[in-house]
């Protein structure tokens, strides 16, 4: 993938750029908002990593300008602003994902690659329906069907299943789930995730047990290769 990093902190910019290159991606760097916007408008990128607080032009303004121009590249917002309102604002501005500093590079890489896969789909495939095996999630109607039968899920269970299926085939860490589904930026040291995973599996029956796999000590993965 071709990735643009717009980040004014030289240490983070260099560290992330180096890591992404080692993972086999082509990376361009921009140290302020104006340079970043110019490159994003004049070159084609699969994914953009954009800091919110930038010199000359802030990250949200960049994203709004890009979306206004029809740019559909995946956008990961990288920021030290981690309150729920900050993240909601970033996503509503047109960001696809939001990662709070400090972060683990392995999680950033997983999120970037997931965005790249989604961006590479033809427009016809970028629908409001997610599928995994015989499971289908209607994002607009907030309905889940398994083997053609509607499954009654609580809102939190729906969000959890949606997030797992969006990252189908990839490891989803407990940290990713806590941040994205529960809005926690710390580990509450409870079994809240395990309890909800157990409920999901039970409601989905044999499909849930086969589809949602536990990676001991790391997280979960949706595997529909069966």
């Amino acid at each position: 993938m071709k990735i643009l990093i717009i980040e004014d902190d030289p240490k983070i910019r260099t560290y992330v750029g180096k890591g992404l290159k080692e993972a086999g991606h082509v990376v361009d760097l921009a140290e302020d908002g104006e340079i970043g916007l110019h490159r994003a408008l004049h070159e084609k990128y699969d994914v953009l990593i954009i800091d919110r607080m930038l010199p000359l032009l802030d990250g949200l303004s960049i994203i709004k300008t890009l979306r206004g121009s029809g740019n559909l590249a995946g956008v990961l917002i990288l920021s030290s602003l981690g309150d729920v309102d900050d993240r909601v604002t970033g996503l509503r501005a047109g960001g696809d994902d939001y990662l709070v500093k400090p972060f683990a590079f392995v999680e950033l890489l997983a999120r970037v690659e997931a965005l790249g896969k989604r961006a590479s789909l033809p427009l016809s495939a970028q629908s409001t329906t997610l599928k995994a095996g015989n499971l289908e999630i209607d994002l607009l109607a907030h309905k889940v069907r398994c083997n053609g039968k509607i499954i009654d899920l609580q809102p939190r269970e729906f969000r959890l299943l949606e997030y797992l299926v969006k990252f189908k085939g990839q490891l989803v860490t407990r940290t990713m789930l806590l941040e994205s589904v529960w809005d926690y930026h710390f580990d509450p040291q409870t079994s809240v995730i395990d309890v909800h995973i157990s409920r999901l599996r039970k409601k989905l029956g044999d499909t849930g047990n086969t589809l949602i796999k536990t990676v001991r000590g790391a997280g979960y993965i949706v595997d529909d290769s069966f």
Side-chain angles (χ1 to χ4, degrees):
M1 289 190 297
K2 188 173 182 181
I3 302 167
L4 174 63
I5 301 171
I6 310 176
E7 168 63 64
D8 63 317
D9 186 317
K11 290 184 179 179
I12 294 178
R13 189 172 64 243
T14 301
Y15 172 70
V16 174
K18 182 175 181 291
L20 291 173
K21 287 178 181 178
E22 289 175 348
H25 302 295
V26 176
V27 180
D28 286 341
L29 307 176
E31 64 270 21
D32 65 54
E34 287 188 353
I35 293 175
L37 178 60
H38 178 81
R39 289 182 177 170
L41 287 173
H42 292 86
E43 295 190 48
K44 181 175 176 56
Y45 293 97
D46 299 295
V47 175
L48 308 171
I49 300 174
I50 304 177
D51 185 15
R52 276 193 62 168
M53 296 183 292
L54 292 164
L56 304 181
L57 186 65
D58 69 275
L60 297 189
S61 296
I62 295 173
I63 296 169
K64 290 176 181 178
T65 300
L66 291 174
R67 295 313 192 209
S69 70
N71 190 309
L72 298 177
V75 173
L76 172 64
I77 299 173
L78 194 61
S79 178
S80 58
L81 301 175
D83 289 344
V84 174
D85 289 344
D86 293 321
R87 286 179 280 132
V88 169
T89 299
L91 295 173
R92 285 180 174 169
D96 296 294
D97 201 353
Y98 199 111
L99 187 59
V100 179
K101 302 174 183 176
F103 56 89
F105 176 76
V106 65
E107 183 174 350
L108 180 144
L109 178 62
R111 294 186 183 217
V112 164
E113 292 182 341
L115 286 177
K117 286 181 180 179
R118 189 171 72 191
S120 67
L121 292 173
L123 289 177
S124 59
Q126 296 180 23
S127 68
T128 58
T129 301
L130 298 175
K131 294 182 179 181
N134 52 20
L135 182 73
E136 183 176 300
I137 304 174
D138 186 329
L139 300 178
L140 290 181
H142 270 237
K143 291 183 178 180
V144 174
R145 289 180 175 83
C146 187
N147 292 315
K149 179 183 177 182
I150 293 181
I151 306 299
D152 183 26
L153 297 182
Q154 297 297 317
R156 187 81 67 181
E157 294 167 345
F158 184 91
R159 287 178 61 190
L160 175 59
L161 183 61
E162 175 189 353
Y163 195 83
L164 289 168
V165 174
K166 277 184 177 179
F167 286 86
K168 180 175 67 175
Q170 299 181 60
L171 172 67
V172 175
T173 68
R174 295 177 66 85
T175 298
M176 293 168 71
L177 291 174
L178 287 170
E179 288 188 353
S180 301
V181 179
W182 276 269
D183 295 325
Y184 290 162
H185 286 277
F186 62 96
D187 188 344
Q189 300 296 316
T190 70
S191 58
V192 61
I193 295 177
D194 303 315
V195 169
H196 278 75
I197 290 290
S198 178
R199 287 178 183 169
L200 267 182
R201 285 173 171 156
K202 185 175 182 180
K203 289 185 176 183
L204 297 174
D206 292 339
T207 294
N209 293 324
T210 306
L211 195 68
I212 305 172
K213 300 185 181 302
T214 299
V215 181
R216 191 171 298 278
Y220 301 91
I221 185 169
V222 166
D223 180 5
D224 64 352
S225 60
F226 55 89

